């Protein structure tokens, strides 16, 4: 199919709901979209996928593991050689040896070390460590009277929390942050970002193998479920990318909401709606990952009136499903406190780190509001550029 709406159109605009509405009007709750355009001269054909936008269809795709695989080896375009080796899609959609990219028994084997690591987190110690990091960052810019709350606060906090867990030094933080920003962008430098990330993690694994300590890098090295350094490295990638990028977005969007939305900003001090309510509101309205790759059809079948062919890629439209016409009542009094959103996905591949992610985000936002009680935006809210 040609002439399809690029998937990037759902994130490269101020209000993607208009794009979702147009796609729903034409195709329904599942729509064909373009992942990547054809190469000049036609040497590479366009890469397409299905964008799943319906709440019920999202649950069906994420819960039926025997029909919808997470493993990219089942992606027909990849198997048939239509995805170039330097494609910027591959860092997010190419095969990796970790629990996120496997199904069934292999998924359970590879996800077990991650679940063990998350279960072993001392939440009280994490809270104190994150709060101290937040206070240090704020102290560094508070006297200036202004700051970029994205690069100067929201982005470093989750990265520092993750690097603390893996026993990595502050020296690695900037390199990791830059590498992961490039990796998840699916832009021209995504492959370079992936290589830079791998380089840092290989160095960390080699260091911990000779001098193990009480951190997650050492725990992964000693875990019998991870059979080689590549599986260790890719499990680290899974936790770092998921733990940093999404939590950064969650913090940033929640701060924006609390500083601009009348039902939050006007009641921030002694108000009815607080940080927890704002965190949940963002998970519905602007989930930290708008579109999550991917599932791959294991057989021909029908979904929402469309014929899905074996090997087709399906993108989870988390933001679209959360903002669909039947997802919520539209009454803020009824919807407040509702956590039936799909921001963390669903099924066996749902995010396992919801609790530590919320702890980090809540601590970051609460600390900022406590230490900067007169904080205001210096630009109108509608002039804040969004990351695609």
């Amino acid at each position: 199919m040609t002439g399809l709406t690029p998937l990037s159109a759902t994130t490269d605009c101020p209000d993607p709901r208009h794009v979702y509405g147009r796609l729903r009007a034409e195709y329904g709750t599942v729509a064909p979209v373009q992942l990547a355009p054809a190469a000049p001269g036609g040497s590479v054909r366009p890469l397409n996928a299905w964008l799943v936008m319906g709440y019920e269809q999202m649950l069906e795709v994420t819960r039926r593991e025997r029909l919808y695989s997470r493993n990219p080896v089942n992606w027909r375009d990849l198997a048939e050689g239509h995805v170039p080796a330097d494609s910027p899609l591959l860092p997010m959609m190419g095969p990796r040896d970790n629990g996120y990219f496997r199904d069934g028994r292999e998924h359970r084997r590879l996800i077990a070390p991650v679940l063990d690591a998350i279960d072993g987190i001392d939440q009280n110690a994490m809270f104190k460590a994150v709060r101290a990091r937040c206070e240090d960052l704020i102290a560094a810019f508070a006297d200036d009277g202004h700051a970029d709350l994205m690069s100067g606060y929201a982005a470093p906090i989750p990265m520092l929390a993750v690097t603390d867990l893996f026993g990595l030094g502050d020296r690695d933080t900037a390199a990791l942050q830059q590498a992961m920003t490039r990796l998840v962008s699916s832009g021209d430098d995504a492959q370079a970002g992936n290589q830079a990330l791998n380089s840092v993690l290989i160095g960390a694994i080699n260091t911990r193998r000779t001098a193990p300590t009480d951190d997650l890098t050492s725990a992964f090295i000693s875990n019998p479920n991870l059979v080689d350094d590549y599986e260790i490295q890719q499990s680290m990638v899974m936790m770092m990318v998921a733990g940093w990028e999404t939590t950064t977005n969650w913090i940033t969007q929640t701060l924006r909401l609390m500083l601009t939305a009348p039902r939050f900003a006007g009641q921030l001090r002694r108000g009815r709606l607080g940080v927890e309510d704002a965190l949940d509101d963002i998970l519905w309205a602007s989930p930290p990952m708008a579109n999550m790759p991917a599932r791959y059809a294991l057989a021909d079948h029908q979904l929402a009136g469309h014929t899905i062919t074996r090997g087709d890629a399906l993108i989870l439209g988390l933001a679209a499903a959360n903002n669909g016409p039947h997802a919520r009542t539209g009454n803020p009094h009824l919807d407040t406190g509702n956590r039936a959103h799909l921001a963390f996905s669903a099924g066996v591949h749902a995010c396992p780190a919801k609790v530590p992610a919320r702890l980090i985000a809540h601590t970051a936002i609460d600390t900022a509001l406590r230490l900067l009680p007169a904080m205001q935006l210096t630009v109108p809210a509608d002039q804040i550029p969004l990351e695609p």
Side-chain angles (χ1 to χ4, degrees):
M1 299 179 69
T2 59
L4 297 179
T5 298
L7 179 64
S8 58
T10 66
T11 59
D12 284 348
C13 60
D15 189 357
R17 289 175 295 182
H18 295 301
V19 182
Y20 299 141
R22 178 167 53 79
L23 289 172
R24 284 193 186 95
E26 185 171 358
Y27 299 105
T29 55
V30 176
V33 293
Q34 184 187 90
L35 291 179
S43 58
V44 177
R45 72 184 192 188
L47 298 175
N48 300 329
W50 297 97
L51 177 63
V52 183
M53 300 182 293
Y55 190 94
E56 293 181 0
Q57 289 73 29
M58 187 78 68
L59 293 178
E60 181 177 356
V61 169
T62 54
R63 290 174 175 174
R64 297 185 65 184
E65 191 178 11
R66 293 185 178 181
L67 182 57
Y68 300 102
S69 170
R70 185 63 196 87
N71 195 331
V73 300
N74 295 301
W75 184 13
R76 186 178 60 255
D77 284 335
L78 182 64
E80 294 179 354
H82 299 301
V83 183
D86 60 350
S87 169
L89 295 174
L90 285 177
M92 286 293 284
M93 294 184 67
R96 291 180 183 271
D97 286 353
N98 63 39
Y100 184 66
F101 290 86
R102 291 292 184 270
D103 303 311
R105 183 178 300 175
E106 277 295 276
H107 164 73
R108 291 188 291 274
R109 175 180 72 84
L110 290 167
I111 202 67
V114 175
L115 297 176
D116 290 344
I118 293 170
D119 288 343
I121 293 174
D122 184 330
Q123 293 186 34
N124 188 50
M126 173 178 266
F127 163 71
K128 292 179 178 178
V130 172
R131 183 178 60 183
R133 291 286 197 178
C134 294
E135 291 172 347
D136 289 344
L137 286 169
I138 291 172
F141 62 68
D143 291 341
D144 296 338
H146 61 86
D148 184 329
L149 287 182
M150 177 65 173
S151 62
Y153 188 68
I157 291 166
M159 177 59 67
L160 291 167
V162 169
T163 53
D164 284 348
L165 288 174
F166 281 97
L168 302 175
D170 289 357
R171 184 179 62 181
D172 294 321
T173 299
L176 285 169
Q177 185 172 319
Q178 183 182 37
M180 287 194 282
T181 298
R182 296 157 74 185
L183 186 156
V184 302
S185 70
S186 294
D188 293 339
D189 58 354
Q191 292 272 15
N194 184 49
Q195 294 169 6
L197 174 61
N198 290 340
S199 177
V200 173
L201 298 186
I202 290 171
I205 292 169
N206 291 337
T207 299
R208 284 293 175 265
R209 193 176 297 283
T210 57
T213 60
D214 184 19
D215 57 40
L216 293 190
T217 303
S218 300
F220 278 11
I221 290 172
S222 63
N223 194 297
N225 280 313
L226 302 176
V227 300
D228 56 33
D229 282 4
Y230 186 66
E231 289 189 354
I232 295 169
Q233 176 202 45
Q234 292 305 310
S235 295
M236 294 172 73
V237 169
M238 174 184 173
M239 284 195 69
M240 287 186 173
V241 172
W244 171 68
E245 171 76 7
T246 55
T247 310
T248 294
N249 295 343
W250 197 7
I251 293 169
T252 308
Q253 291 280 36
T254 304
L255 279 172
R256 176 191 57 79
L257 181 70
M258 298 200 75
L259 292 172
T260 60
R263 60 197 176 100
F264 291 98
Q267 303 175 16
L268 239 154
R269 288 80 183 167
R270 305 187 184 92
R272 181 179 67 84
L273 298 177
V275 174
E276 285 294 316
D277 299 308
L279 286 166
D280 288 332
D281 193 276
I282 288 299
L283 291 178
W284 277 105
S286 302
M289 180 172 279
N291 303 309
M292 174 178 271
R295 296 295 190 275
Y296 306 99
L298 295 177
D300 297 354
H301 64 283
Q302 293 288 311
L303 178 66
H306 296 282
T307 298
I308 310 298
T309 304
R310 180 178 179 177
D312 281 357
L314 298 98
I315 304 299
L316 306 184
L318 305 180
N322 278 355
N323 289 279
H326 306 297
R328 290 197 287 176
T329 68
N331 184 329
H333 298 289
L334 296 176
D335 289 332
T336 297
N338 182 353
R339 293 186 179 176
H341 56 77
L342 295 173
F344 294 113
S345 189
V348 297
H349 288 284
C351 175
K354 294 185 283 289
V355 172
R358 181 175 285 268
L359 186 154
I360 294 168
H362 187 286
T363 304
I365 296 158
D366 185 70
T367 305
L369 297 176
R370 175 171 54 84
L371 296 182
L372 302 169
M375 179 169 47
Q376 299 179 44
L377 290 181
T378 59
V379 297
D382 60 3
Q383 292 184 19
I384 300 174
L386 300 179
E387 286 288 340

